[in-house]
Structure formats: C-alpha cells, structure tokens
Amino acid sequence: MGDYLSQSRDDGGLALGTVGTSVIFLLAISGAVISLTRTKVDQAEVQLDASTGGPPEAAPHHHPHGSRPFEPGIEVE
C-alpha cells in the first residue's frame, strides 16, 4: 500500500511521495487509536464478583516443579 501511494505514476503509483504517504498513514493510525479509545470496542468485558464488587479471584496456579515459583539464581535439587 505504501509503495502504491508513494511511487511515481510511471511506475504505477499515485506519486504522493514519502512525506504524503507518511501523513496519510499517520492520520489513519491516529484515527484508529482515537476511535478505539473513545468507543472501547476492543476491550474485553470484565465480570465482577457479586459478593466483593471486584474481579473474581484467580484460580490457584499449580507450578510444574513443586509449590514454589521459579526464582532466578536458586537451584532446585
């Protein structure tokens, strides 16, 4: 898409140049970010715990090498 916008008409492009193409992409990306920020359609809905009013407690995580999480620099026997 960038090549099509920036290349000369003789080469099959629209001859907008690199600056013009960059401005178009900057506006498109900025518009997408602003739109997603306002509408929040990309955010997952969080189910709240009715008893606490907060997020549900995470299920206990079982570590593959025992009950301790990995700690760098500590060797397990």
Side-chain angles (χ1 to χ4, degrees):
M1 178 72 119
D3 287 341
Y4 173 69
L5 294 173
S6 64
Q7 297 301 313
S8 69
R9 292 182 191 271
D10 293 337
D11 293 329
L14 294 180
L16 297 176
T18 55
V19 174
T21 300
S22 296
V23 169
I24 289 172
F25 283 125
L26 175 66
L27 293 174
I29 292 168
S30 297
V33 169
I34 290 169
S35 174
L36 291 173
T37 301
R38 288 184 178 174
T39 63
K40 299 184 188 316
V41 297
D42 62 324
Q43 294 182 356
E45 190 173 318
V46 176
Q47 298 292 328
L48 299 179
D49 186 338
S51 63
T52 64
E57 293 297 321
H61 179 71
H62 298 286
H63 297 282
H65 302 291
S67 61
R68 286 187 359 204
F70 173 75
E71 295 179 24
I74 298 177
E75 293 185 29
V76 179
E77 295 177 15

